[in-house]
Amino acid sequence: MYLHLGSDVLIKKDKVVAIIDLEIASEGKINNNFLSNIKDNHNLTYISEPGKEKSLIITNDNYFLSPISSTTLFKRSFFAIDE
């Protein structure tokens, strides 16, 4: 099963480790440090335009910034696209 993250990006649902709401995550200092570390040191894929990111999707081997809310992505995970 696949999960649509926005634009033309599909990932296998079983590769998803976490879906994080950026509005909530950016409230704490530790979370901001975590997000900064990901941006500086990891393979980060921007799916959305700068400033319109709503969620961070962590997979086994990549990080994605998506314009789709974490709630919507969570709902989509139950109706994922078949292989």
Coordinates of all heavy atoms in Angstrom, one line a residue:
M1 N 0.8 -1.2 0.0 CA 0.0 0.0 0.0 C 0.9 1.2 0.0 O 1.9 1.3 0.6 CB -0.9 0.0 1.2 CG -1.8 -1.2 1.4 SD -3.2 -1.0 0.4 CE -4.5 -1.0 1.6
Y2 N 0.4 2.3 -0.7 CA 1.1 3.5 -0.8 C 0.3 4.7 -0.1 O -0.9 4.6 0.0 CB 1.4 3.9 -2.2 CG 2.4 3.0 -2.9 CD1 2.1 1.8 -3.5 CD2 3.7 3.4 -2.9 CE1 3.1 1.0 -4.0 CE2 4.7 2.6 -3.4 CZ 4.4 1.4 -4.0 OH 5.3 0.6 -4.6
L3 N 1.1 5.7 0.3 CA 0.5 6.9 0.9 C 0.9 8.1 0.1 O 2.1 8.3 -0.2 CB 1.0 7.0 2.3 CG 0.5 8.2 3.1 CD1 -1.0 8.2 3.3 CD2 1.2 8.3 4.5
H4 N -0.1 8.9 -0.3 CA 0.2 10.1 -1.1 C 0.5 11.2 -0.2 O -0.3 11.6 0.6 CB -1.0 10.4 -2.0 CG -0.8 11.6 -2.9 ND1 -1.5 12.7 -2.6 CD2 0.0 11.8 -3.9 CE1 -1.2 13.6 -3.5 NE2 -0.2 13.1 -4.3
L5 N 1.7 11.8 -0.3 CA 2.2 12.9 0.6 C 2.0 14.3 0.0 O 2.1 15.2 0.7 CB 3.7 12.7 0.9 CG 4.1 11.4 1.5 CD1 5.6 11.4 1.8 CD2 3.4 11.2 2.8
G6 N 1.6 14.4 -1.2 CA 1.4 15.7 -1.9 C 2.2 15.7 -3.2 O 3.1 14.9 -3.4
S7 N 1.9 16.6 -4.0 CA 2.5 16.7 -5.4 C 2.4 15.3 -6.0 O 1.4 14.7 -6.1 CB 3.9 17.2 -5.3 OG 3.9 18.6 -4.8
D8 N 3.5 14.8 -6.5 CA 3.6 13.5 -7.1 C 4.3 12.5 -6.3 O 4.9 11.6 -6.8 CB 4.2 13.6 -8.5 CG 3.4 14.4 -9.5 OD1 2.2 14.4 -9.3 OD2 4.0 15.1 -10.4
V9 N 4.3 12.7 -5.0 CA 5.1 11.8 -4.1 C 4.3 10.8 -3.4 O 3.3 11.1 -2.7 CB 5.9 12.7 -3.0 CG1 6.7 11.8 -2.1 CG2 6.7 13.7 -3.7
L10 N 4.6 9.5 -3.7 CA 4.0 8.4 -3.0 C 5.1 7.6 -2.3 O 6.2 7.4 -2.8 CB 3.4 7.4 -4.1 CG 2.2 7.9 -4.9 CD1 1.8 7.0 -6.0 CD2 1.0 8.1 -4.0
I11 N 4.8 7.1 -1.1 CA 5.7 6.3 -0.4 C 5.0 5.0 0.1 O 3.8 5.0 0.3 CB 6.4 7.0 0.8 CG1 5.3 7.5 1.8 CG2 7.3 8.1 0.3 CD1 5.9 8.0 3.1
K12 N 5.7 4.0 0.3 CA 5.1 2.8 0.9 C 4.7 3.0 2.3 O 5.5 3.6 3.1 CB 6.1 1.6 0.8 CG 6.3 1.0 -0.6 CD 7.0 -0.3 -0.6 CE 6.9 -0.9 -1.9 NZ 7.1 -2.4 -1.9
K13 N 3.5 2.6 2.6 CA 3.0 2.9 3.9 C 3.8 2.2 5.0 O 3.9 2.8 6.1 CB 1.5 2.4 4.0 CG 0.7 2.9 5.1 CD -0.7 2.7 5.0 CE -1.1 1.4 5.6 NZ -2.6 1.2 5.7
D14 N 4.3 1.1 4.8 CA 5.1 0.4 5.8 C 6.4 1.0 6.1 O 7.1 0.6 7.0 CB 5.2 -1.1 5.5 CG 6.0 -1.4 4.2 OD1 6.2 -0.4 3.5 OD2 6.3 -2.6 4.0
K15 N 6.9 2.0 5.3 CA 8.1 2.7 5.5 C 8.0 3.9 6.4 O 8.9 4.5 6.9 CB 8.7 3.2 4.2 CG 9.0 2.1 3.2 CD 10.2 1.4 3.5 CE 10.5 0.3 2.5 NZ 11.6 -0.5 2.8
V16 N 6.7 4.3 6.7 CA 6.5 5.5 7.5 C 6.8 5.2 9.0 O 6.2 4.2 9.6 CB 5.0 6.0 7.4 CG1 4.7 7.1 8.4 CG2 4.7 6.4 6.0
V17 N 7.6 6.0 9.6 CA 7.9 5.9 11.0 C 7.1 6.8 11.8 O 6.5 6.5 12.9 CB 9.4 6.2 11.3 CG1 9.8 6.2 12.7 CG2 10.3 5.2 10.5
A18 N 6.9 8.1 11.3 CA 6.1 9.1 12.1 C 5.6 10.2 11.1 O 6.3 10.4 10.1 CB 7.0 9.7 13.2
I19 N 4.5 10.7 11.5 CA 4.0 11.9 10.8 C 3.8 13.0 11.9 O 3.0 12.8 12.9 CB 2.6 11.6 10.1 CG1 2.8 10.5 9.1 CG2 2.0 12.9 9.5 CD1 1.5 10.1 8.4
I20 N 4.5 14.1 11.8 CA 4.6 15.1 12.8 C 3.9 16.4 12.3 O 4.3 16.9 11.2 CB 6.0 15.3 13.2 CG1 6.6 14.0 13.8 CG2 6.1 16.4 14.3 CD1 8.1 14.1 14.0
D21 N 3.0 16.9 13.1 CA 2.4 18.2 12.9 C 3.5 19.3 13.2 O 3.9 19.5 14.3 CB 1.2 18.4 13.7 CG 0.4 19.7 13.5 OD1 1.0 20.7 13.1 OD2 -0.8 19.6 13.6
L22 N 3.9 20.1 12.1 CA 4.9 21.1 12.3 C 4.5 22.2 13.2 O 5.3 22.8 13.9 CB 5.4 21.6 11.0 CG 6.2 20.6 10.2 CD1 6.6 21.2 8.8 CD2 7.5 20.2 10.9
E23 N 3.2 22.6 13.2 CA 2.8 23.7 14.0 C 2.9 23.4 15.5 O 3.4 24.2 16.3 CB 1.3 24.0 13.8 CG 0.8 25.2 14.5 CD -0.7 25.6 14.1 OE1 -1.0 25.3 13.0 OE2 -1.4 26.1 15.0
I24 N 2.6 22.2 15.9 CA 2.8 21.7 17.3 C 4.2 21.5 17.6 O 4.7 21.9 18.7 CB 1.9 20.5 17.6 CG1 0.4 20.8 17.5 CG2 2.2 19.9 18.9 CD1 -0.5 19.6 17.5
A25 N 5.0 20.8 16.7 CA 6.4 20.5 16.9 C 7.3 21.7 17.1 O 8.3 21.7 17.8 CB 6.9 19.6 15.8
S26 N 6.9 22.8 16.4 CA 7.8 24.0 16.4 C 7.6 24.8 17.7 O 8.3 25.8 17.9 CB 7.5 24.9 15.2 OG 6.2 25.4 15.2
E27 N 6.7 24.4 18.6 CA 6.5 25.1 19.9 C 7.6 24.9 20.9 O 7.8 25.8 21.7 CB 5.2 24.8 20.4 CG 4.0 25.2 19.6 CD 2.6 24.8 20.1 OE1 2.6 24.1 21.2 OE2 1.6 25.1 19.5
G28 N 8.3 23.8 20.9 CA 9.3 23.5 21.9 C 10.7 23.7 21.4 O 11.0 23.5 20.2
K29 N 11.6 24.0 22.3 CA 13.0 24.2 22.0 C 13.7 22.9 21.5 O 14.4 22.9 20.5 CB 13.8 24.7 23.2 CG 15.2 25.0 22.9 CD 15.9 25.6 24.1 CE 17.4 25.9 23.7 NZ 18.1 26.3 24.9
I30 N 13.4 21.8 22.2 CA 13.9 20.5 21.8 C 13.4 20.1 20.4 O 14.2 19.6 19.5 CB 13.6 19.4 22.8 CG1 14.3 19.7 24.1 CG2 14.0 18.0 22.3 CD1 13.9 18.8 25.3
N31 N 12.2 20.3 20.1 CA 11.6 20.0 18.8 C 12.2 20.9 17.7 O 12.5 20.4 16.6 CB 10.1 20.2 18.8 CG 9.4 19.2 19.6 OD1 9.9 18.1 19.9 ND2 8.2 19.5 20.1
N32 N 12.4 22.2 18.0 CA 13.1 23.0 17.0 C 14.5 22.6 16.7 O 15.0 22.6 15.6 CB 13.1 24.5 17.5 CG 11.8 25.2 17.3 OD1 11.1 24.9 16.3 ND2 11.4 26.1 18.2
N33 N 15.2 22.1 17.8 CA 16.6 21.6 17.6 C 16.6 20.4 16.7 O 17.4 20.2 15.8 CB 17.3 21.3 18.9 CG 17.6 22.6 19.7 OD1 17.7 23.6 19.1 ND2 17.8 22.4 21.0
F34 N 15.6 19.5 16.9 CA 15.4 18.3 16.1 C 15.2 18.6 14.7 O 15.8 18.1 13.8 CB 14.3 17.4 16.7 CG 13.9 16.3 15.9 CD1 14.8 15.2 15.8 CD2 12.7 16.2 15.2 CE1 14.4 14.1 15.0 CE2 12.4 15.1 14.4 CZ 13.2 14.0 14.3
L35 N 14.3 19.6 14.4 CA 13.9 20.0 13.1 C 15.1 20.6 12.4 O 15.4 20.4 11.2 CB 12.7 20.9 13.0 CG 11.4 20.3 13.5 CD1 10.4 21.4 13.6 CD2 11.0 19.3 12.5
S36 N 15.9 21.5 13.1 CA 17.1 22.1 12.5 C 18.1 21.0 12.2 O 18.8 21.1 11.2 CB 17.7 23.1 13.5 OG 16.8 24.2 13.7
N37 N 18.3 20.0 13.1 CA 19.3 19.0 12.8 C 18.9 18.2 11.5 O 19.7 17.9 10.7 CB 19.3 18.0 14.0 CG 20.4 17.0 13.9 OD1 21.4 17.2 13.2 ND2 20.1 15.8 14.4
I38 N 17.6 17.9 11.4 CA 17.2 17.2 10.2 C 17.5 18.0 8.9 O 18.0 17.5 7.9 CB 15.7 16.9 10.2 CG1 15.4 15.8 11.3 CG2 15.1 16.5 8.9 CD1 14.0 15.5 11.5
K39 N 17.2 19.3 9.0 CA 17.4 20.2 7.8 C 18.9 20.3 7.5 O 19.3 20.3 6.3 CB 16.8 21.6 8.1 CG 15.3 21.6 8.0 CD 14.8 23.0 8.3 CE 13.3 22.9 8.4 NZ 12.7 24.3 8.7
D40 N 19.8 20.2 8.5 CA 21.2 20.4 8.3 C 21.9 19.1 7.9 O 22.9 19.1 7.2 CB 21.9 21.0 9.5 CG 21.4 22.4 9.8 OD1 20.9 23.1 8.9 OD2 21.6 22.8 11.0
N41 N 21.5 18.0 8.4 CA 22.3 16.8 8.4 C 21.6 15.6 7.7 O 22.2 14.5 7.7 CB 22.7 16.3 9.8 CG 23.5 17.4 10.5 OD1 24.3 18.0 9.9 ND2 23.2 17.6 11.7
H42 N 20.4 15.7 7.2 CA 19.7 14.5 6.7 C 19.2 14.7 5.3 O 19.1 15.9 4.8 CB 18.6 14.1 7.6 CG 19.1 13.6 8.9 ND1 19.8 12.4 9.1 CD2 19.1 14.2 10.2 CE1 20.1 12.3 10.4 NE2 19.8 13.4 11.0
N43 N 18.7 13.7 4.7 CA 18.1 13.7 3.4 C 16.7 14.2 3.5 O 15.8 13.4 3.8 CB 18.2 12.3 2.8 CG 17.8 12.3 1.3 OD1 17.7 13.4 0.7 ND2 17.6 11.1 0.8
L44 N 16.5 15.5 3.3 CA 15.2 16.1 3.5 C 14.6 16.5 2.1 O 15.3 17.2 1.3 CB 15.3 17.4 4.4 CG 14.0 18.1 4.7 CD1 13.0 17.3 5.5 CD2 14.3 19.4 5.4
T45 N 13.4 16.0 1.8 CA 12.7 16.3 0.6 C 11.6 17.3 0.8 O 10.7 17.0 1.6 CB 12.2 15.0 0.0 OG1 13.3 14.1 -0.2 CG2 11.5 15.3 -1.4
Y46 N 11.7 18.4 0.1 CA 10.6 19.4 0.2 C 9.6 19.1 -0.8 O 9.8 19.2 -2.0 CB 11.2 20.8 0.0 CG 12.0 21.3 1.1 CD1 13.4 21.0 1.2 CD2 11.5 22.1 2.1 CE1 14.2 21.4 2.3 CE2 12.3 22.6 3.2 CZ 13.6 22.2 3.2 OH 14.4 22.7 4.3
I47 N 8.4 18.8 -0.4 CA 7.2 18.6 -1.3 C 6.5 19.9 -1.5 O 5.9 20.1 -2.6 CB 6.3 17.5 -0.7 CG1 7.1 16.2 -0.5 CG2 5.1 17.2 -1.6 CD1 6.3 15.1 0.2
S48 N 6.5 20.7 -0.5 CA 5.7 22.0 -0.6 C 6.6 23.2 -0.9 O 7.8 23.1 -0.9 CB 5.0 22.2 0.7 OG 5.9 22.5 1.7
E49 N 5.9 24.3 -1.2 CA 6.6 25.5 -1.3 C 7.2 26.0 0.0 O 6.5 25.7 1.1 CB 5.7 26.6 -1.9 CG 5.1 26.3 -3.2 CD 4.1 27.3 -3.7 OE1 4.2 28.5 -3.2 OE2 3.3 27.0 -4.5
P50 N 8.3 26.7 0.1 CA 8.8 27.2 1.3 C 7.8 28.0 2.1 O 7.1 28.8 1.5 CB 10.0 28.0 0.9 CG 10.4 27.5 -0.4 CD 9.1 27.0 -1.1
G51 N 7.6 27.7 3.4 CA 6.7 28.4 4.2 C 5.3 27.8 4.3 O 4.5 28.3 5.1
K52 N 5.0 26.8 3.4 CA 3.7 26.2 3.4 C 3.7 24.8 3.9 O 2.8 24.0 3.8 CB 3.1 26.2 2.0 CG 2.9 27.6 1.5 CD 2.1 27.7 0.3 CE 1.8 29.2 -0.1 NZ 0.8 29.3 -1.1
E53 N 4.8 24.4 4.6 CA 4.9 23.0 5.2 C 4.0 22.9 6.3 O 3.9 23.8 7.2 CB 6.4 22.7 5.6 CG 7.4 22.9 4.6 CD 8.0 24.3 4.6 OE1 7.5 25.2 5.3 OE2 9.0 24.6 3.8
K54 N 3.3 21.8 6.4 CA 2.4 21.5 7.5 C 2.8 20.3 8.3 O 2.4 20.2 9.5 CB 0.9 21.4 7.0 CG 0.4 22.6 6.5 CD -1.1 22.4 6.1 CE -1.7 23.7 5.5 NZ -3.0 23.6 5.0
S55 N 3.5 19.4 7.7 CA 3.8 18.1 8.4 C 5.2 17.6 7.9 O 5.6 17.9 6.8 CB 2.8 17.1 8.2 OG 2.6 16.8 6.8
L56 N 5.8 16.9 8.9 CA 7.1 16.2 8.6 C 6.8 14.8 8.6 O 6.2 14.2 9.6 CB 8.1 16.6 9.7 CG 9.4 15.8 9.7 CD1 10.2 16.1 8.5 CD2 10.2 16.1 11.0
I57 N 7.2 14.1 7.6 CA 7.0 12.6 7.5 C 8.4 12.0 7.6 O 9.3 12.3 6.8 CB 6.3 12.2 6.2 CG1 4.9 12.8 6.1 CG2 6.2 10.7 6.1 CD1 4.9 14.1 5.4
I58 N 8.5 11.1 8.6 CA 9.8 10.4 8.8 C 9.6 9.0 8.3 O 8.7 8.3 8.7 CB 10.2 10.4 10.2 CG1 10.4 11.9 10.7 CG2 11.5 9.7 10.4 CD1 10.6 12.0 12.2
T59 N 10.5 8.6 7.4 CA 10.5 7.2 6.9 C 11.8 6.5 7.3 O 12.6 7.2 7.9 CB 10.3 7.1 5.3 OG1 11.5 7.7 4.7 CG2 9.1 7.9 4.9
N60 N 11.9 5.3 6.9 CA 13.1 4.5 7.3 C 14.4 5.2 6.7 O 15.5 5.0 7.3 CB 13.0 3.1 6.8 CG 11.9 2.3 7.5 OD1 11.5 2.7 8.6 ND2 11.5 1.3 6.8
D61 N 14.3 5.8 5.6 CA 15.5 6.3 4.9 C 15.4 7.8 4.4 O 16.3 8.3 3.8 CB 15.9 5.4 3.7 CG 14.7 5.2 2.8 OD1 13.6 5.7 3.0 OD2 14.9 4.6 1.7
N62 N 14.4 8.5 4.8 CA 14.2 9.9 4.3 C 13.3 10.7 5.2 O 12.6 10.1 6.0 CB 13.6 9.8 2.8 CG 14.0 11.0 2.0 OD1 14.5 12.0 2.5 ND2 13.7 11.0 0.7
Y63 N 13.3 12.0 4.9 CA 12.4 12.9 5.6 C 11.7 13.7 4.6 O 12.3 14.2 3.6 CB 13.2 13.8 6.6 CG 13.9 13.1 7.7 CD1 15.2 12.6 7.4 CD2 13.4 13.0 8.9 CE1 15.9 11.9 8.5 CE2 14.0 12.3 9.9 CZ 15.3 11.8 9.7 OH 16.0 11.1 10.7
F64 N 10.4 14.0 4.7 CA 9.6 14.8 3.8 C 8.9 15.9 4.5 O 8.4 15.7 5.6 CB 8.6 13.9 3.1 CG 9.1 12.8 2.3 CD1 9.3 11.5 2.9 CD2 9.4 12.9 1.0 CE1 9.8 10.5 2.2 CE2 9.9 11.9 0.2 CZ 10.1 10.6 0.8
L65 N 8.9 17.1 3.9 CA 8.1 18.2 4.4 C 6.9 18.3 3.4 O 7.1 18.6 2.2 CB 8.9 19.5 4.4 CG 9.9 19.6 5.6 CD1 10.7 20.9 5.5 CD2 9.2 19.6 6.9
S66 N 5.7 18.2 3.9 CA 4.5 18.1 3.1 C 3.6 19.3 3.4 O 3.5 19.7 4.5 CB 3.8 16.8 3.4 OG 2.6 16.8 2.7
P67 N 2.9 19.8 2.3 CA 1.9 20.8 2.5 C 0.6 20.3 3.1 O -0.4 21.0 3.3 CB 1.7 21.4 1.1 CG 2.0 20.2 0.2 CD 3.0 19.4 0.9
I68 N 0.5 19.0 3.2 CA -0.8 18.3 3.7 C -0.7 18.2 5.2 O 0.4 17.7 5.7 CB -1.0 17.0 3.0 CG1 -1.1 17.3 1.5 CG2 -2.2 16.3 3.5 CD1 -1.1 16.0 0.6
S69 N -1.8 18.4 5.9 CA -1.8 18.3 7.4 C -1.6 16.9 7.8 O -1.9 15.9 7.1 CB -3.1 18.9 7.9 OG -4.1 18.0 7.7
S70 N -1.1 16.8 9.0 CA -0.8 15.5 9.6 C -2.1 14.7 9.8 O -2.2 13.5 9.6 CB -0.1 15.6 10.9 OG -0.8 16.4 11.9
T71 N -3.2 15.4 10.1 CA -4.5 14.8 10.2 C -5.0 14.2 8.9 O -5.5 13.0 8.9 CB -5.6 15.8 10.7 OG1 -5.1 16.4 12.0 CG2 -6.9 15.1 11.0
T72 N -4.8 14.9 7.8 CA -5.2 14.4 6.5 C -4.4 13.2 6.1 O -4.9 12.2 5.6 CB -5.1 15.5 5.5 OG1 -6.0 16.6 5.9 CG2 -5.5 15.0 4.1
L73 N -3.1 13.3 6.4 CA -2.2 12.2 6.0 C -2.6 10.9 6.9 O -2.5 9.8 6.4 CB -0.7 12.5 6.3 CG -0.2 13.5 5.3 CD1 1.2 14.0 5.7 CD2 -0.1 13.0 3.9
F74 N -2.9 11.1 8.1 CA -3.3 10.0 9.0 C -4.6 9.4 8.4 O -4.7 8.1 8.3 CB -3.6 10.5 10.4 CG -4.1 9.4 11.3 CD1 -3.2 8.5 11.8 CD2 -5.4 9.4 11.7 CE1 -3.7 7.5 12.6 CE2 -5.9 8.4 12.5 CZ -5.0 7.4 13.0
K75 N -5.6 10.2 8.0 CA -6.8 9.6 7.4 C -6.5 8.9 6.1 O -7.0 7.8 5.8 CB -7.8 10.7 7.1 CG -8.4 11.3 8.4 CD -9.3 12.4 8.1 CE -9.8 13.1 9.3 NZ -10.7 14.3 9.0
R76 N -5.6 9.5 5.3 CA -5.2 8.8 4.0 C -4.5 7.5 4.2 O -4.6 6.6 3.4 CB -4.3 9.7 3.2 CG -4.9 10.9 2.5 CD -3.9 11.6 1.7 NE -4.5 12.8 1.1 CZ -3.9 13.6 0.3 NH1 -2.6 13.4 0.0 NH2 -4.5 14.6 -0.2
S77 N -3.9 7.3 5.4 CA -3.2 6.1 5.6 C -4.1 4.9 5.7 O -3.7 3.8 5.5 CB -2.3 6.2 6.9 OG -3.1 6.2 8.0
F78 N -5.4 5.2 6.0 CA -6.4 4.1 6.1 C -7.0 3.8 4.7 O -7.5 2.7 4.5 CB -7.5 4.5 7.0 CG -7.1 4.5 8.5 CD1 -6.8 5.7 9.1 CD2 -6.9 3.3 9.1 CE1 -6.4 5.6 10.4 CE2 -6.4 3.3 10.4 CZ -6.2 4.5 11.1
F79 N -6.8 4.7 3.8 CA -7.3 4.5 2.4 C -6.2 4.6 1.4 O -6.3 5.3 0.4 CB -8.4 5.5 2.1 CG -9.5 5.5 3.1 CD1 -9.7 6.5 4.1 CD2 -10.5 4.5 3.0 CE1 -10.7 6.4 5.0 CE2 -11.5 4.4 3.9 CZ -11.6 5.4 4.9
A80 N -5.1 4.0 1.7 CA -3.9 4.1 0.9 C -4.1 3.4 -0.5 O -4.9 2.6 -0.7 CB -2.7 3.5 1.6
I81 N -3.3 3.8 -1.4 CA -3.3 3.3 -2.8 C -2.7 2.0 -2.9 O -1.6 1.8 -2.4 CB -2.6 4.3 -3.8 CG1 -3.3 5.7 -3.7 CG2 -2.6 3.8 -5.2 CD1 -2.5 6.8 -4.3
D82 N -3.3 1.0 -3.5 CA -2.8 -0.4 -3.6 C -1.6 -0.4 -4.6 O -1.5 0.5 -5.5 CB -3.8 -1.4 -4.1 CG -4.9 -1.7 -3.1 OD1 -4.5 -1.6 -1.9 OD2 -6.0 -2.0 -3.4
E83 N -0.7 -1.4 -4.4 CA 0.4 -1.5 -5.3 C 0.0 -1.9 -6.7 O -0.9 -2.5 -6.9 CB 1.4 -2.6 -4.7 CG 2.0 -2.1 -3.4 CD 3.0 -3.1 -2.9 OE1 3.9 -3.5 -3.7 OE2 3.0 -3.5 -1.8

